[in-house]
Amino acid sequence: MGFITQHPVLVVSLVKIAVLLFIVMTALAYLTWLERKVIARIQSRWGPYNVGAHGLLQPLADGLKFLFKEDMTPPTSDRLVYLLAPFLALSLALTAIALIPFGPPSVRVLGQSVFIISDVDIGLLFLLSITSIGVYGVALAGWSSNSKYPLLGGLRSSAQMISYEVSLTISVVGVLLLAGSLSFNEIIEAQRGYWLHFIPRWHVVPQIVGFLCYITAAIAETNRIPFDLPEAETELVAGFHTEYSSFKFAMFFMAEYANMITVSCLATILFFGGWLSPFPDSWTWQIFLPGAGLVLLGAYCAYDTVINMRGIAQIQFLVVTLLALGGGAISLYPPVASVIQGPFWFTTKILAILFFYIWMRGTLPRFRYDQLMSFGWKLLLPVSLANLVITAFVIIWPLLRHG
Amino acid sequence: MSVPIIMFFACALLAVLGAVLLILAREPIHSALALVLVMMSLAVLYLLLGAPFVAAVQIIVYAGAIMVLFVFVIMLLNAGVEERTDFSKIAKWVGVPLGFFLLLVTAVYLLHSSIGTTIATGVGAANQAADTRELSQQLFRQYLFPFEATSILILIAILGALVLARKDE
């Protein structure tokens, strides 16, 4: 007990970490479900449908399958590094999420901010530093497997991640110049307010070039289509994780999706005002939006349950319906509604960006390797550099004129 | 024992362990990874000293850029296991005592200087005043010339590397 009273920050942080870990893990699982559903819809298929209503239990089934599969280690591999690589990939991907503020710092319990795990002064720099060492997971996996395709995949992805990291970092600096801070909270606060009373002062407006560079580089950083050369199955089997099976493979998989979430969070914070609402504060009814959205979702689920579902799926979907309706009812209660404002907008924006990610995957073909490299170095880097220089010039111009 | 002191000793031990592993490992990749361990522990030590910016830059530049390139090159060249040579006599009879002597001198110096106590008591961690803004103002006002001179030097080095790597035509 003495320890708890002496170090309240430590204890509260541990609780927050545990809760966030649970939420993120669930989100990861259902992100795979969402991706399969959206891709299926784009390709005129059904996607997962049989395990649970609308395939809602599919992530759970996949997780169990990974757990119970045989875990094989190639005898010629470098055992230590082979084991280290997936752990490194996943733990770094999850560490990065700890830096993200999910809501305003003003919501506090026991004097500790609820929605912010660690409020680092130089949050952005730390996030970039963590993503910059994320390459090791992929590179080491490729090398330690001691096999041709993983090595080629590892080499490709290291080269790709190093190349696009440069553009990623430079495209972010424009926002830093506008906000004048490296702290996520201050970057979000800098985007408060409106142009012409209704256009939110999000950085995406003045930094549209920066945003386009960022999202392109981010897709390449997370090894997603159209930049998924490291795991191009037609050329490299499965790239760096060819030799991984069972749960170690699942760890790479989770790391990839965790990185997607991190990158979307960062885009939301830097360019879309983080947890700020897109509507002016004078629109007081907006605090009922999360509840209203959930109730609408519940109503649709109820309709679906009655009309389309039969048998066990009907019962399963009834649970989903009740959850949505109950959540909606709680969210409509004003004190709760005002607290969940921040996280609601943050989640909505992240979901929009994630949907964009999946949409890209369903639409675009894969680049060729030389196209990838020349695109990164000869187009993306110069454009993001030019954006940085112009932004800096626009900011410094009034200072130069007046003195 | 306060948390900073535990962190300090843990990271100092890790740094030394990494440095020793770096020399002893026979596989080049293991050496590179040991060096990454040293860099990361040093970054935490910078954090304890109240210099988060330096810590982040340490990770980005050393662990995230330079060592990644090292690992990349080792992978690309597929460097094999190192071969051991017999230790030279000079290293054995002069180097080892000299090394211990230097260690002793550093330890005695740290005992009597303020740096040692600053780290050990974790005073630095509370003193976060040396923030990024202050650092950059120092860098771009007072030390502008050395800063620019260094960047030109690095540019020259890059150009030199390009010239050396280019094929003769």
Side-chain angles (χ1 to χ4, degrees):
Chain A
M1 267 321 275
F3 188 77
I4 296 175
T5 44
Q6 269 172 14
H7 303 283
V9 182
L10 215 63
V11 176
V12 175
S13 296
L14 282 177
V15 172
K16 282 195 287 190
I17 289 168
V19 173
L20 183 72
L21 198 64
F22 176 74
I23 295 175
V24 168
M25 283 304 190
T26 318
L28 290 184
Y30 278 93
L31 187 57
T32 62
W33 174 82
L34 183 76
E35 172 158 35
R36 292 170 71 176
K37 274 296 193 192
V38 173
I39 293 283
R41 181 50 67 98
I42 290 174
Q43 297 165 349
S44 301
R45 297 184 284 116
W46 279 111
Y49 208 90
N50 287 325
V51 189
H54 283 295
L56 273 172
L57 294 178
Q58 187 71 46
L60 193 69
D62 285 343
L64 285 177
K65 184 189 77 179
F66 279 130
L67 271 178
F68 288 118
K69 275 206 167 181
E70 188 187 353
D71 190 5
M72 280 178 287
T73 308
T76 51
S77 68
D78 187 314
R79 286 193 71 92
L80 181 73
V81 182
Y82 181 83
L83 280 173
L84 188 70
F87 280 98
L88 213 58
L90 185 59
S91 56
L92 286 174
L94 291 176
T95 311
I97 294 179
L99 291 162
I100 307 286
F102 293 95
S106 51
V107 182
R108 282 167 184 278
V109 170
L110 292 173
Q112 302 289 318
S113 192
V114 177
F115 298 126
I116 300 170
I117 299 263
S118 67
D119 185 12
V120 187
D121 258 0
I122 48 164
L124 181 58
L125 210 58
F126 252 97
L127 196 87
L128 290 175
S129 68
I130 291 170
T131 48
S132 78
I133 44 179
V135 194
Y136 284 112
V138 174
L140 293 178
W143 176 79
S144 66
S145 299
N146 201 2
S147 148
K148 283 189 192 66
Y149 291 125
L151 184 67
L152 285 172
L155 280 175
R156 270 190 181 187
S157 69
S158 328
Q160 174 184 334
M161 285 163 99
I162 296 169
S163 309
Y164 280 81
E165 204 177 289
V166 181
S167 310
L168 185 94
T169 313
I170 290 176
S171 65
V172 159
V173 180
V175 171
L176 288 189
L177 291 178
L178 286 181
S181 173
L182 283 162
S183 147
F184 284 140
N185 282 323
E186 283 176 43
I187 291 173
I188 292 172
E189 283 301 329
Q191 300 176 68
R192 203 181 269 283
Y194 299 87
W195 285 298
L196 307 173
H197 301 293
F198 71 97
I199 307 171
R201 276 184 179 274
W202 292 347
H203 286 145
V204 68
V205 183
Q207 284 291 314
I208 182 71
V209 181
F211 172 67
L212 291 177
C213 291
Y214 171 81
I215 204 76
T216 316
I219 294 174
E221 270 290 292
T222 44
N223 292 332
R224 298 274 304 176
I225 287 177
F227 300 102
D228 68 334
L229 274 295
E231 34 198 296
E233 62 270 10
T234 43
E235 305 158 28
L236 292 176
V237 190
F240 63 90
H241 56 58
T242 306
E243 301 288 352
Y244 282 87
S245 54
S246 182
F247 208 67
K248 293 203 208 75
F249 168 76
M251 285 171 87
F252 278 118
F253 206 65
M254 287 193 278
E256 184 183 321
Y257 283 87
N259 281 329
M260 266 171 78
I261 292 182
T262 314
V263 160
S264 310
C265 289
L266 197 56
T268 309
I269 292 168
L270 295 177
F271 297 100
F272 293 97
W275 36 261
L276 291 175
S277 156
F279 304 122
D281 289 337
S282 52
W283 300 12
T284 43
W285 49 262
Q286 61 172 311
I287 65 164
F288 297 114
L289 273 177
L294 275 176
V295 168
L296 274 179
L297 183 72
Y300 173 74
C301 292
Y303 164 80
D304 209 32
T305 313
V306 176
I307 302 296
N308 296 328
M309 296 287 160
R310 291 290 171 269
I312 185 101
Q314 196 166 27
I315 301 166
Q316 286 165 348
F317 218 53
L318 193 66
V319 177
V320 178
T321 309
L322 291 177
L323 277 178
L325 286 176
I330 295 171
S331 309
L332 282 174
Y333 180 56
V336 178
S338 57
V339 166
I340 61 168
Q341 267 308 283
F344 168 70
W345 286 117
F346 198 78
T347 320
T348 312
K349 290 167 186 174
I350 293 173
L351 277 177
I353 297 173
L354 286 175
F355 178 77
F356 173 75
Y357 248 89
I358 298 170
W359 185 11
M360 293 298 268
R361 179 178 165 185
T363 315
L364 291 176
R366 184 177 292 139
F367 273 103
R368 218 172 51 219
Y369 192 65
D370 58 318
Q371 289 173 333
L372 172 100
M373 278 298 161
S374 64
F375 178 76
W377 286 108
K378 292 181 185 161
L379 184 73
L380 205 59
L381 184 62
V383 169
S384 48
L385 263 178
N387 175 56
L388 170 62
V389 171
I390 291 170
T391 312
F393 194 74
V394 168
I395 289 174
I396 207 82
W397 182 244
L399 295 176
L400 286 178
R401 269 175 58 200
H402 301 297
Chain B
M1 287 282 263
S2 68
V3 177
I5 294 184
I6 300 172
M7 288 294 285
F8 169 76
F9 280 109
C11 291
L13 267 178
L14 269 180
V16 174
L17 188 76
V20 172
L21 272 177
L22 162 68
I23 302 170
L24 292 183
R26 300 188 59 185
E27 189 78 57
I29 291 255
H30 291 174
S31 293
L33 284 180
L35 192 51
V36 175
L37 184 68
V38 177
M39 304 290 186
M40 302 294 281
S41 328
L42 282 184
V44 181
L45 291 185
Y46 288 138
L47 265 185
L48 288 174
L49 280 170
F53 183 81
V54 183
V57 168
Q58 164 90 6
I59 298 178
I60 293 180
V61 174
Y62 285 100
I66 296 180
M67 287 320 293
V68 170
L69 272 182
F70 268 57
V71 170
F72 184 71
V73 169
I74 295 171
M75 276 168 65
L76 197 66
L77 299 179
N78 205 4
V81 175
E82 285 173 28
E83 279 183 27
R84 291 280 141 151
T85 53
D86 289 333
F87 289 111
S88 74
K89 288 242 166 56
I90 304 174
K92 204 168 176 181
W93 296 112
V94 183
V96 174
L98 211 63
F100 274 104
F101 177 69
L102 271 176
L103 198 67
L104 197 72
V105 170
T106 320
V108 169
Y109 172 75
L110 277 180
L111 258 179
H112 294 285
S113 78
S114 57
I115 309 171
T117 46
T118 319
I119 302 172
T121 52
V123 173
N127 178 25
Q128 297 246 342
D131 68 345
T132 318
R133 201 180 300 270
E134 212 168 288
L135 188 87
S136 45
Q137 268 167 3
Q138 292 264 318
L139 203 58
F140 289 101
R141 295 234 167 100
Q142 200 178 347
Y143 298 108
L144 183 63
F145 180 72
F147 180 79
E148 292 294 335
T150 317
S151 56
I152 288 174
L153 259 180
I154 293 174
L155 185 67
I156 293 171
I158 295 172
L159 288 179
L162 275 180
V163 169
L164 283 178
R166 206 174 58 173
K167 290 186 193 108
D168 289 322
E169 279 164 29

